[in-house]
Amino acid sequence: MATQSLTKPTFSIYYLSERAVTIDFGQQIAEHLLDAISDFNALLHQHPFAGFCTTVPAYATLTVFFDPLAVIKSAMPGAGCFEKISGYLTNLNQQKKKSIKTIGTTVTIPVCYGGAFGPDLEELAHLHQLGITDVVKLHTSVIYTVYMIGFVPGFAYLGDMDERLATPRKAAPRPVIPAGSVGIAGQQTGVYPLQTPGGWQIIGQTPLKLFDATKLQPSLLKAGDKVVFKPINLKEFNQLASG
Amino acid sequence: MQIRIVKPGLLSTIQDMGRDLYLSQAVPVSGAMDSLSARIANKAVGNTDNEAVIEFTYADAEFIAETDLLIAYAGDGAILKVVDQKLPPERPIYIPAGTNIKLTNNPTGSRTYMAIAGGWDLPDVLGSKSTFITAGFGGLEGRSLKAGDQLTNIDKLSSIAQKIFDNLNAEHINYPNWSIPRQLLLPADRKSIRVVAANEFDWFDKQSIVDFFTIPYVIGQRSNRMGYHLEGAIINRVKKDELLSTAVTPGTIQITGNGSMVLLMADCQITGGYPRIAQVAAVDMPLCAQLKPGDAIYFKQINRDEAEMLYLERERDLQRLTTAVQYKFL
């Protein structure tokens, strides 16, 4: 009997549009899925097919965008683009090709907690019957994993927040949340890369730019990175913001 | 060549075919909502399809030719006029310096695209000139056009653009008697939108699926470049699973928590967690781009092979049109 390799991910592929297919790795949020998606993403970038454009990794999926005109002209077996690409991706997964591991970087994000930067910190601490320093300690004591970038440019979905900080969204969203605001919504924590309206509980702000359209890599974070929050005071915030 | 905006109208932005290399960093595609009209306007002045054009929303805009111009326009939001002279769409038009051009109402649609020979000269941001207002980048300073803005073309014209310019150059407004027949590429029934069943199609109950393909859906007031709210029968779910956020794309139709429907458009988020009922065929997205709040549409199911064939056919037709324009000026 054949034994199933533990390292080889199993997946299914579905149609998203004429220009994209989605690979489904299994509907759950788990670090081993993130690794499988990151590895396959790296492998695909090292072995692209004719007409490959780009990918979008998410919690449990990797979506592959392509140019149908180039794909249909390619020698890949299959009548249409969907068959050609599905076949290619399935083969690539079955081959024992090793991808050069992309190592996620650890990014430290300095945060000035509370005050005008974190208008919801006090209420959130009160709700959980914690002191403000406890909230900050709980928020800064975890190494967070970036599961995906989505929602707005540069917004990172972080996993593994301490459950004691889980807080529902605000009943009425704020019309304006400044860029760099650090918030909590349900089980999630994250940083607003742009000034947008939003319903998250805002506990602090970072002077770092999470998204900069003038940079070659505009998003500070990418899927697979680790994030650590570090508390700073107002003076340090201002220094970092002006530097 | 240069123009100055006198009146910008409701929403006028610079767009090209959009940016897709930064999707993984959650940068939306953006680009012309009606990419077919934008491409036809570009072809008519001898540009490649991806040159930046102005996307006008409805009418009530006005600009001045500060130099002699070679422009073309296409779309259904407005008709260009000089005093009482109607300028014909889908062909190159030579306009002498000093001419004042107004966009007047065209009730059949909502968006109009104006190309200039060489393309509008603006910096590439993340590989595209498209404006993305939410994040404030692309186009002209990341914003919509306003009165007083001056826009110039890229000086270096393609040989075909130069030939068109030399051919039409005159003391007065001048254009050829041919046009690029956009209507021939579009289906006769513009209110019937073809869709492919999406991955969560079987999450919805039978009656809702019947409704989806038989009942008209009306474009809601809360509709913009990010998406349209569609008003009609509520779509009920049989499968109540949570969908983990995953990639979506313009044309995706999501069903929100209360059973209402959102059709994602050019500036949409790159991921979403609502189950998806259908994906609009790419060839019908230009029709969707011309819809106005209050318009009613019907959905018609096709399979993914048909959608792909329609896409490839449309691309081949568009390639043939480029060749046809070149033949006019050989």
Side-chain angles (χ1 to χ4, degrees), chain B residues 220-232:
Chain B
Q221 291 297 326
R222 284 188 303 144
S223 295
N224 54 36
R225 282 186 46 91
M226 289 180 76
Y228 296 169
H229 284 263
L230 301 179
E231 293 160 2

Side-chain angles (χ1 to χ4, degrees), chain B residues 21 44 65 128 173 201 260 271 278:
Chain B
L21 290 181
S128 162
I173 291 170
F201 187 74
S260 65
T271 56

Side-chain angles (χ1 to χ4, degrees), chain A residues 35-47:
Chain A
D35 290 343
I37 292 166
S38 300
D39 285 352
F40 190 77
N41 194 19
L43 188 64
L44 180 56
H45 277 84
Q46 286 149 27
H47 304 277

Side-chain angles (χ1 to χ4, degrees), chain B residues 186-195 212-213 215-217 280-281 283-288 291 296-302 310:
Chain B
L186 295 171
D189 181 1
R190 299 243 214 135
K191 300 298 177 198
S192 173
I193 304 296
R194 290 165 288 187
V195 299
F212 182 72
F213 288 119
I215 286 174
Y217 285 86
V280 172
V283 292
D284 284 351
M285 285 302 282
L287 299 179
C288 295
L291 296 170
I297 51 172
Y298 290 86
F299 294 112
K300 183 176 174 244
Q301 189 171 12
I302 59 171
L310 289 166

Side-chain angles (χ1 to χ4, degrees), chain B residues 68-202:
Chain B
D68 296 347
L69 305 177
L70 179 65
I71 61 161
Y73 80 99
D76 302 314
I79 293 156
L80 268 61
K81 268 188 183 170
V82 173
V83 197
D84 284 329
Q85 183 185 1
K86 193 176 140 186
L87 303 178
E90 298 160 10
R91 72 192 77 193
I93 308 171
Y94 173 84
I95 292 173
T99 309
N100 189 299
I101 298 114
K102 282 192 170 82
L103 276 77
T104 59
N105 188 36
N106 178 357
T108 64
S110 58
R111 291 178 173 85
T112 308
Y113 297 83
M114 188 172 80
I116 191 157
W120 298 105
D121 188 13
L122 289 152
D124 279 316
V125 179
L126 304 177
S128 162
K129 295 180 170 66
S130 289
T131 314
F132 178 47
I133 291 178
T134 308
F137 62 76
L140 184 63
E141 299 166 358
R143 59 170 172 82
S144 58
L145 301 180
K146 59 180 196 227
D149 282 342
Q150 285 172 309
L151 294 166
T152 53
N153 75 329
I154 295 171
D155 242 351
K156 200 174 150 15
L157 301 190
S158 69
S159 65
I160 183 73
Q162 190 61 53
K163 275 182 194 159
I164 299 172
F165 184 82
D166 295 343
N167 190 276
L168 294 176
N169 192 347
E171 298 288 306
H172 50 83
I173 291 170
N174 195 17
Y175 47 81
N177 58 8
W178 54 265
S179 69
I180 300 179
R182 181 172 58 107
Q183 307 302 334
L184 292 184
L185 295 181
L186 295 171
D189 181 1
R190 299 243 214 135
K191 300 298 177 198
S192 173
I193 304 296
R194 290 165 288 187
V195 299
V196 178
N199 193 52
E200 289 78 46
F201 187 74
D202 59 6

